[in-house]
Amino acid sequence: YSQVLMWHPFFLELLQENSPLMRPICHRAMSMLLLSSTDIIFNLGEEPAEPKMYVVVSGTLEYTDSYGEVTSVGEKRHLAEAVLWTNWKHRGTLTAVSDVKLAMLDAQGFFDLCQRFMRRSEAALKILGYATQFIEELNRSEFKSDLDHP
């Protein structure tokens, strides 16, 4: 999964630093989801019982925001990152428009691994710094979205 996570700047940085956190993330917190056209991944207003960040490995999806605006989402894009850093309610609906392969990072698994590494890793400051910056940017944003900002 490192080849997929490297598409996200935070995880790329951890990979480049050979962070000991990356191996357990890839082995314990990641999984793959295969979808067909019209499959819905999440809906507007949904509070996921098992929150996940999604990374598009292949295929195309459509994200429809609360205003009805549709955005095409393709390979190497990540969605719903906020679930890793805060309690999150989806701000749109994500639907497959072709066969899609999604990598998923389980938020609880990621949290548990981060907690374990917080006590004994240089990555702790990086994780805390990134999480703080992410939440500050999210709070400043007038329009909250599940989309990444390419």
Side-chain angles (χ1 to χ4, degrees):
Y1 290 102
S2 62
Q3 296 299 310
V4 172
L5 285 174
M6 69 188 298
W7 296 335
H8 186 288
F10 172 71
F11 294 105
L12 175 60
E13 195 172 326
L14 290 179
L15 284 163
Q16 289 172 334
E17 294 174 359
N18 291 318
S19 171
L21 178 60
M22 288 309 298
R23 182 183 293 244
I25 286 174
C26 291
H27 290 280
R28 296 187 205 144
M30 295 291 299
S31 60
M32 201 64 75
L33 178 65
L34 302 176
L35 303 161
S36 297
S37 181
T38 72
D39 284 351
I40 296 173
I41 297 78
F42 55 76
N43 283 300
L44 172 68
E46 179 183 339
E47 273 188 73
E50 296 179 9
K52 295 179 180 23
M53 181 181 88
Y54 301 93
V55 182
V56 183
V57 177
S58 64
T60 305
L61 304 105
E62 284 184 344
Y63 178 79
T64 307
D65 67 24
S66 58
Y67 296 105
E69 195 169 309
V70 177
T71 303
S72 182
V73 181
E75 186 177 310
K76 298 185 180 181
R77 295 283 302 271
H78 58 276
L79 300 113
E81 178 184 359
V83 302
L84 300 180
W85 313 115
T86 188
N87 291 324
W88 185 250
K89 187 182 294 190
H90 289 296
R91 302 311 204 262
T93 299
L94 184 65
T95 308
V97 294
S98 68
D99 288 344
V100 173
K101 188 180 198 179
L102 285 180
M104 302 183 298
L105 174 54
D106 179 73
Q108 187 63 54
F110 176 71
F111 177 79
D112 292 345
L113 290 167
C114 285
Q115 264 195 325
R116 199 170 317 150
F117 276 81
M118 286 298 199
R119 295 185 205 114
R120 57 182 173 87
S121 170
E122 292 174 17
L125 290 176
K126 188 170 296 307
I127 294 165
L128 286 172
Y130 182 85
T132 300
Q133 179 183 349
F134 183 91
I135 294 300
E136 286 173 356
E137 288 177 17
L138 186 66
N139 288 337
R140 277 195 302 270
S141 173
E142 287 182 43
F143 183 71
K144 314 267 191 280
S145 175
D146 296 284
L147 295 174
D148 60 357
H149 304 284

